[in-house]
């Protein structure tokens, strides 16, 4: 019996750490942890000379390792924080995205979050009386007397820690006074403040249209079926998709099921959160990277314990450990911010949502006025359930769209480098006269994207990235929007020819704001771009002010182009519709079309609206069809182009990017990787190696290789994955020096 007991008390576990190695490490489990430790439990264990958080991936009673086993030192959580379905998802991600399991787990379960988290507690003390023996207290305990006298002058409770200016040990002093019956002691839990990230509760009385009812009935059937149901909800702007989200989530909660709503931009979360909180109260929580650590820890614990059943957030919210997940909604599913570019795993939240929906038998709603070509194509092929909302809510007409040819405008006015056309200026004057609001989209931040010598043409570029530096007028510096480098001062003379004929070219949001101030000095403006959005609380207040009519013109990048709902915004001006149109990327046209279409949808949501698109290329098919809001024709054109080039959605794609400090080393090792990709199977095409469009970023040279697998020969992508997996097994990326890094990007959203 003794030997059996000893045998059962011996346990070993394999632990995966968040490192760039596929290797797992075996540890011995101390007796006190044996009954608690499970697969999915986070632990702290020695790795080299460090103590590192990892996750248990296997446990067993015998180990083949003959050396000395190191011990697990600590349990991070009192129980496994990953249920089987979330664990299965992590394993799938590791395989699909060619990423070590430990790194995947670090993404799914942020290391600093723990189910053990408790918010800080503040001790409070309140004066009661001086008592009968106050004179004796004065003689024998002067420190207690000082505290008691101070408290007697205060109105209500005082934090014990605030008494340090009176005595060195306020906790002991207050405890002594409490024992004498002279004060009351209490404790207050300091819950983190998340109110700055959401609008005040927004109440709306909704009467569903017949079209909305049809969509809701279909979604209800899919939700009640308890089966995985991938659904594309294609609704025009202002068709009432948010109201449908609220109602279907209400039904899910009535079935004791949880819900996740994914949004592409943090700027969208406050307004929608305000709507959801008005309906569901404290069952709703926001989740995104701008939350404080204490707020994230508190929310995560509440999710783990089942106190929160609805999560609204950016892409990482797709991993929320909700119990009995029944529905996932991806709003603006076409948005590229759902893709994690770095670090690994380079996942797409839409793909994760679909896989998680499969594991949970959940309803997954991909919603947009401008679906991605991939989702649109999957609907055409019958892979997704397709639901359509053709009408704007309340029968408000589509905005009237005007296209301004800026070349003709300059010829007629004689004003070159004109930013605001005469048409847009007159339309704005009319809106201000009616006390209506204007949204201006310029998808470039800063003041001017280029500082160029007027004599030799030399452009001021980043020393680390070799891209043009952008001038920011408020700080009076040149900035790199890739690595963050900024100059201490602006060069007065050209570095190449010493000419002082330096010119700021192009237009950013700061310049647009300055021009509007000059044209309309009495108009109140606000700007939302990456520079202002870093302070999420300030951004939320800006949006709320615009919603309340305290701001007349909202100027911004793509952050203002989608998902926002402002009743009094009746004019949208697109300052430069050509931005991004000619980038050498297979998605550039699709992105511009979607941005213009979405921006136009912000206009006239309650009153008749207008849109002015300024362009130097009015005959470009992307702009022509965007101006007509003719989505079907453009999508057919774009799909034909993709099919001809055998790009997604007609092929599976994987991109291998190689970077390093020395250009010749990058060339050498990229060539070696390409040689190891020889003999692909039928239907697999390999492009490159070639220099990336932005050849040097953050001090490193970049090259890439693109693999494509025709879906005619590879219906589910397994052939391409299998081909690459075999090359990995054969050492595809082995023996790279530390100065060279190689990244694998499955389903890339860009080849720039």
């Amino acid at each position: 019996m003794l030997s059996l007991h000893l045998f059962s008390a011996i346990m070993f576990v394999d632990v995966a750490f968040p490192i760039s190695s596929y290797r797992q490490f075996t540890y011995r489990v101390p007796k006190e942890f044996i009954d608690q430790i499970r697969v999915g439990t986070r632990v702290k264990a020695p790795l080299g000379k460090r103590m590192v958080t990892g996750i248990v991936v296997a446990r067993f009673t015998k180990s083949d390792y003959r050396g000395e086993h190191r011990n697990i030192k600590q349990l991070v959580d009192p129980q496994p924080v990953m249920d089987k379905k979330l664990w299965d998802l992590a394993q799938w991600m590791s395989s699909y995205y060619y990423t070590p399991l430990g790194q995947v787990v670090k993404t799914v379960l942020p290391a600093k979050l723990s189910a053990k988290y408790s918010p800080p507690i503040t001790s409070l003390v309140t004066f009661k009386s001086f008592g009968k023996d106050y004179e004796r207290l004065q003689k024998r305990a002067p420190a207690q007397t000082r505290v008691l006298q101070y408290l007697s002058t205060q109105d209500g409770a005082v934090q014990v820690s605030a008494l340090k200016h009176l005595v060195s040990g306020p906790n002991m002093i207050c405890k002594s006074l409490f024992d004498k019956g002279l004060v009351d002691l209490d404790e207050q839990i300091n819950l983190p403040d998340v109110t700055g990230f959401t609008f005040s509760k927004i109440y709306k009385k909704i009467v569903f249209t017949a079209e909305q009812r049809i969509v809701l009935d279909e979604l209800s059937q899919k939700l009640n079926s308890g089966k995985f149901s991938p659904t594309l909800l294609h609704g025009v702007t202002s068709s009432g998709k948010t109201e449908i989200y609220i109602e279907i989530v209400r039904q899910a909660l009535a079935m004791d099921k949880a819900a996740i709503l994914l949004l592409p931009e943090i700027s969208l979360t406050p307004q929608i959160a305000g709507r959801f909180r008005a309906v569901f109260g404290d069952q709703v929580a926001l989740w995104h990277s701008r939350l404080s650590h204490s707020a994230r820890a508190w929310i995560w614990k509440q999710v783990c314990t089942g106190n929160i059943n609805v999560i609204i957030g950016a892409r990482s919210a797709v991993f929320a450990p909700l119990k009995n997940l029944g529905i996932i909604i991806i709003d603006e599913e076409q948005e590229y911010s759902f893709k994690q570019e770095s670090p690994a795993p380079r996942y797409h939240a839409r793909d994760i949502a679909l896989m998680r929906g499969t594991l949970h038998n959940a309803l997954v709603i991909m919603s947009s006025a401008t679906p991605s070509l991939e989702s649109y194509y999957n609907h055409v092929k019958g892979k997704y359930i397709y639901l359509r909302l053709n009408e704007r809510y309340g029968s408000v007409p589509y905005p009237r769209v005007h296209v301004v040819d800026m070349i003709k405008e300059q010829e007629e006015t004689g004003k070159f480098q004109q930013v605001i056309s005469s048409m847009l200026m007159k339309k704005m004057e009319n809106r201000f006269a009616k006390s209506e609001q204007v949204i201006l989209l310029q998808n470039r931040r800063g003041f001017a994207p280029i500082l160029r010598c007027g004599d030799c043409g030399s452009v001021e570029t980043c020393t680390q990235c070799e891209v043009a530096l952008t001038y920011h007028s408020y700080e009076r510096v040149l900035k790199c929007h890739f690595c963050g480098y900024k100059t201490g001062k602006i060069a007065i003379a050209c570095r190449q020819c010493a000419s002082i004929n330096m010119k700021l070219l192009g237009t950013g949001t700061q310049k647009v704001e300055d021009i509007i101030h000059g044209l309309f000095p009495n108009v109140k403006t606000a700007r939302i771009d990456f520079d202002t959005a870093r302070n999420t609380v300030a951004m939320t207040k800006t949006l709320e002010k615009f919603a309340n009519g305290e701001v007349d013109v909202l100027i911004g990048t793509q952050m203002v182009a989608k998902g926002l709902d402002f009743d009094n915004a009746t004019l949208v001006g697109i300052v430069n519709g050509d931005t991004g149109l000619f980038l050498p990327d297979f998605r550039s046209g699709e992105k511009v079309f979607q941005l213009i279409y979405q921006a136009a949808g912000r206009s006239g949501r309650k009153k008749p609206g207008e849109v002015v698109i300024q362009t130097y290329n009015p005959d470009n098919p992307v702009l022509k069809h965007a101006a007509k809001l003719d989505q079907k024709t453009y999508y057919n054109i774009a799909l034909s182009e993709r099919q001809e080039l055998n790009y997604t959605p007609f092929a599976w794609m994987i991109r291998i990017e190689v970077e390093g400090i020395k250009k010749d080393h990058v060339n050498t090792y990229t060539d070696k990787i390409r040689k190891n990709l020889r003999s692909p199977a039928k239907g697999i095409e390999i492009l490159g190696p070639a220099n990336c469009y932005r050849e040097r970023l953050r001090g490193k040279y970049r090259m890439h290789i693109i693999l494509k697998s025709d879906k005619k020969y590879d219906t589910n992508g397994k052939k391409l994955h299998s081909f690459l997996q075999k090359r990995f097994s054969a050492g595809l990326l082995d023996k790279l020096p530390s100065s060279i890094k190689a990244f694998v990007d499955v389903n890339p959203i860009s080849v720039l």
Side-chain angles (χ1 to χ4, degrees), residues 615-724:
T615 174
Y616 293 87
N617 299 274
D619 295 326
N620 186 285
V622 174
L623 294 167
K624 284 176 68 175
H625 293 296
K628 295 176 183 177
L629 303 179
D630 184 1
Q631 190 175 117
K632 187 173 182 178
T633 301
Y634 173 70
Y635 274 33
N636 287 337
I637 292 172
L639 285 172
S640 296
E641 292 174 349
R642 296 274 188 91
Q643 186 172 28
E644 185 176 349
L645 296 170
N646 198 30
Y647 276 101
T648 181
F650 298 95
W652 303 103
M653 292 178 61
I654 293 177
R655 179 173 178 250
I656 300 175
E657 182 182 326
V658 183
E659 68 173 28
I661 296 174
K662 295 184 178 180
K663 186 175 183 179
D664 57 340
H665 285 188
V666 173
N667 290 339
T668 298
Y669 285 100
T670 307
D671 286 339
K672 286 184 178 180
I673 292 171
R674 176 62 183 89
K675 288 176 182 177
N676 286 336
L677 292 172
R678 61 188 178 278
S679 305
K682 183 179 181 181
I684 295 178
E685 180 184 4
I686 302 176
L687 304 179
N691 292 325
C692 296
Y693 169 65
R694 299 182 181 99
E695 183 180 354
R696 189 166 179 252
L697 284 180
R698 302 174 187 90
K700 295 180 180 179
Y701 291 94
R702 305 161 64 232
M703 296 188 73
H704 61 176
I705 300 168
I706 296 172
L707 295 85
K708 297 190 292 183
S709 181
D710 195 320
K711 289 186 178 179
K712 289 185 291 186
Y713 307 101
D714 189 7
T715 55
N716 54 17
K718 287 185 178 179
K719 181 182 287 188
L720 180 57
H721 267 75
S722 176
F723 167 73
L724 198 54

Side-chain angles (χ1 to χ4, degrees), residues 13-16 37-43 54-59 87:
V13 291
D14 280 348
V15 178
I37 209 159
R38 299 285 185 276
V39 171
T41 301
R42 287 189 301 178
V43 297
I55 191 158
V56 175
V57 299
R59 63 176 193 161
W87 178 246

Side-chain angles (χ1 to χ4, degrees), residues 439-440 509 512-513 516 525-529 553-557 560:
I439 296 175
L440 295 179
T509 50
V512 173
E513 189 174 32
I516 298 304
T525 66
R527 176 170 54 89
I528 290 183
D529 51 30
V553 183
L554 183 63
I555 301 163
T557 56
V560 302

Side-chain angles (χ1 to χ4, degrees), residues 49 52 77 89 102 112 129 148 197 229 319 324 330 342 393 401 411 431 435 467 492 505 545 683 723 743 751:
K49 295 181 179 180
V52 183
D77 304 290
L89 179 69
K112 293 183 179 179
S129 71
L148 195 61
F197 300 96
S229 302
F319 302 117
N324 197 23
I330 308 119
S342 182
Y393 188 81
V401 182
E411 290 173 350
R431 299 299 164 177
S435 298
V467 297
I492 298 174
L505 303 177
K545 284 182 179 179
F723 167 73
F743 311 104
V751 294

Side-chain angles (χ1 to χ4, degrees), residues 17 25 95 154 188 222 234 242 266 271 308 373 441 521 553:
F17 293 101
F25 300 84
S95 173
Q154 302 302 303
Q188 175 180 289
K222 300 304 177 187
H234 187 178
T242 303
I266 294 175
Q271 196 172 50
I308 288 175
L373 282 179
L441 169 69
V553 183

Side-chain angles (χ1 to χ4, degrees), residues 342-353:
S342 182
R346 290 167 175 78
Y347 69 90
H348 197 299
R350 182 182 59 218
D351 297 337
I352 301 300

